[in-house]
Amino acid sequence: MLTCVATEQTEKQAKEAAALTVEAVSNGFRENAIDFSAQQQAFSALNAWELQVVQSSNRVIFIATGTFAAMVFFAMLLTAYFQWRTGKIWGEISTALPIMVRGFARGSGLAALSADDQPLLTSGQVADWNSRLLAAVEQLEKRGLKLGPVAEAG
């Protein structure tokens, strides 16, 4: 009987020890679950903050890119406008150029830019016209001398 009592007592102690072990393990799991839950909440808050930072930086990059694109578009429009004006002015110059070139000699830079690449006047023609003009002036002088002095009306 002594053996039975000792066995029962040992069995009782084993059950109590097992219950204490189960309770300790259960408390450990509970504490681990609480710690894990707190850690998960901390990570969740950190992830939310990081997401806000990324969204904010994306917004800033989008605004900067949009501003740069608007400036490039404006520069392209301005360039197109100035090229249009320059083309218009060059067109006016090219239509007025043949009119301006008519009175210039062959050596003139404008004569070299005439539409048909032929000089409008050669140096020989200019010299010929000058001699004709001088001859006409001499004839007028001779006729003026023949007429005599002109009486002033008075």
Side-chain angles (χ1 to χ4, degrees):
M1 227 109 175
L2 201 52
T3 333
C4 272
V5 171
T7 307
E8 284 178 12
Q9 205 175 20
T10 306
E11 189 178 318
K12 186 178 176 183
Q13 286 176 349
K15 283 184 182 180
E16 286 176 1
L20 286 175
T21 304
V22 167
E23 188 177 329
V25 169
S26 177
N27 286 340
F29 280 142
R30 216 174 289 123
E31 287 176 7
N32 282 344
I34 291 170
D35 288 345
F36 182 72
S37 176
Q39 190 178 20
Q40 191 175 17
Q41 287 176 350
F43 281 140
S44 177
L46 182 64
N47 285 342
W49 177 76
E50 287 176 348
L51 181 64
Q52 286 177 342
V53 168
V54 168
Q55 286 176 343
S56 175
S57 68
N58 283 347
R59 196 173 305 121
V60 168
I61 289 172
F62 180 73
I63 290 170
T65 304
T67 303
F68 180 73
M71 288 172 38
V72 167
F73 181 71
F74 180 71
M76 288 174 55
L77 284 178
L78 200 60
T79 302
Y81 172 72
F82 283 123
Q83 284 184 346
W84 172 73
R85 281 195 53 199
T86 303
K88 187 176 174 183
I89 290 170
W90 278 112
E92 290 174 3
I93 289 173
S94 67
T95 56
L97 192 62
I99 296 168
M100 292 171 40
V101 171
R102 287 190 186 132
F104 293 98
R106 179 179 185 181
S108 170
L110 289 175
L113 296 174
S114 65
D116 54 359
D117 290 336
Q118 296 294 325
L120 297 176
L121 297 174
T122 62
S123 61
Q125 288 175 332
V126 172
D128 187 39
W129 286 359
N130 283 341
S131 63
R132 286 183 191 174
L133 180 62
L134 288 174
V137 169
E138 285 178 17
Q139 285 180 358
L140 285 174
E141 285 179 356
K142 287 179 186 176
R143 284 186 186 170
L145 291 175
K146 285 183 185 177
L147 290 176
V150 177
E152 290 186 23

